[in-house]
Amino acid sequence: ALLSLPFQVLGLASCWWAFTPLYLSLAYRIWPVELAGNPLLTIVLWPPATCLAILSIRPSDGGMVFGFVLADAVIFGAVSVAMGLLAYKVRHIDRVSPWLCVCLSALTLGGFVFLGGILVDAARRRQPSPRRLLLLHNEFCRAIGASGATLILAYIPLKMWDDDPLFPQSDLFAPVLLCGLSILFNFVFILAPRVRAAALAALCKTGSTAEERE
């Protein structure tokens, strides 16, 4: 448990320091690109940090499972609102960027509704199962990660088709590509059941009971 908590704090905090530069850059043009680099690059580091946090959760720790799923639901809701506002802010840039923001807003809104739903369902049960809640959360994260990565990677050909055939030569191409690939690899493959089982086995070696060593 002592190892799990720092990983989870890091994973949840990474959501804010990953998306804040992008929002400040696109919505208000106040991100210092020359000093801090492309704001999309911070999103590349968010998936591994978040997946590490998810992998560190023990199914036997009910309080930690419920708390993490609740925190994720809040983050999904906040990102959905931010993406919706961002779609309005960037509506004059091109036709593809607002479309991408709207799709990501709808996707994360779905995440908020789904996670809120499974939390309510778990709270109504006389004997809620943290293991079941964590399993649903992890499988959902894999699905929404694959969907989000697909949308981000689809931005490249759509941008080329819409108004910028030379987009692969721009400074934005590499960050968008790395961002999509990072989300796809980490959420789909790192959260795969076998990888998660191996991570839990390594983490739970410090457990003192049979339940903790699951």
Side-chain angles (χ1 to χ4, degrees):
L2 292 177
L3 284 175
S4 298
L5 187 58
F7 287 149
Q8 289 163 46
V9 171
L10 173 65
L12 293 173
S14 72
C15 295
W16 302 110
W17 55 250
F19 288 99
T20 299
L22 178 64
Y23 190 82
L24 292 177
S25 172
L26 291 177
Y28 300 105
R29 304 290 194 275
I30 59 175
W31 181 251
V33 176
E34 293 78 9
L35 295 176
N38 192 295
L40 277 173
L41 292 176
T42 57
I43 301 181
V44 175
L45 302 177
W46 158 66
T50 300
C51 290
L52 182 62
I54 294 173
L55 291 176
S56 70
I57 302 175
R58 301 171 187 249
S60 57
D61 193 337
M64 191 168 286
V65 171
F66 279 85
F68 193 88
V69 176
L70 177 61
D72 260 4
V74 172
I75 290 173
F76 272 115
V79 172
S80 178
V81 173
M83 286 293 106
L85 294 173
L86 193 56
Y88 177 77
K89 291 281 188 179
V90 301
R91 67 190 186 280
H92 298 305
I93 294 180
D94 55 31
R95 291 183 296 178
V96 181
S97 298
W99 169 85
L100 177 62
C101 291
V102 168
C103 289
L104 291 175
S105 178
L107 187 65
T108 48
L109 178 61
F112 171 76
V113 172
F114 177 83
L115 294 180
I118 62 174
L119 282 170
V120 171
D121 178 69
R124 287 179 174 178
R125 294 175 180 268
R126 293 184 178 180
Q127 294 182 334
S129 172
R131 182 186 297 276
R132 177 178 179 274
L133 183 62
L134 185 60
L135 177 63
L136 288 172
H137 171 269
N138 290 353
E139 288 304 310
F140 172 75
C141 283
R142 293 187 72 201
I144 204 169
S147 301
T150 301
L151 286 172
I152 292 171
L153 292 174
Y155 176 85
I156 295 174
L158 289 173
K159 179 70 173 176
M160 293 173 62
W161 171 78
D162 183 49
D163 69 343
D164 190 0
L166 299 179
F167 180 70
Q169 301 177 21
S170 70
D171 295 336
L172 194 60
F173 173 73
V176 170
L177 180 64
L178 289 174
C179 178
L181 293 177
S182 178
I183 294 174
L184 182 65
F185 174 77
N186 284 280
F187 281 96
V188 176
F189 297 105
I190 298 300
L191 289 185
R194 289 186 178 181
V195 177
R196 180 178 170 275
L200 271 179
L203 183 66
C204 293
K205 285 181 179 180
T206 56
S208 58
T209 67
E211 184 182 19
E212 288 178 324
R213 294 179 185 275
E214 62 197 343

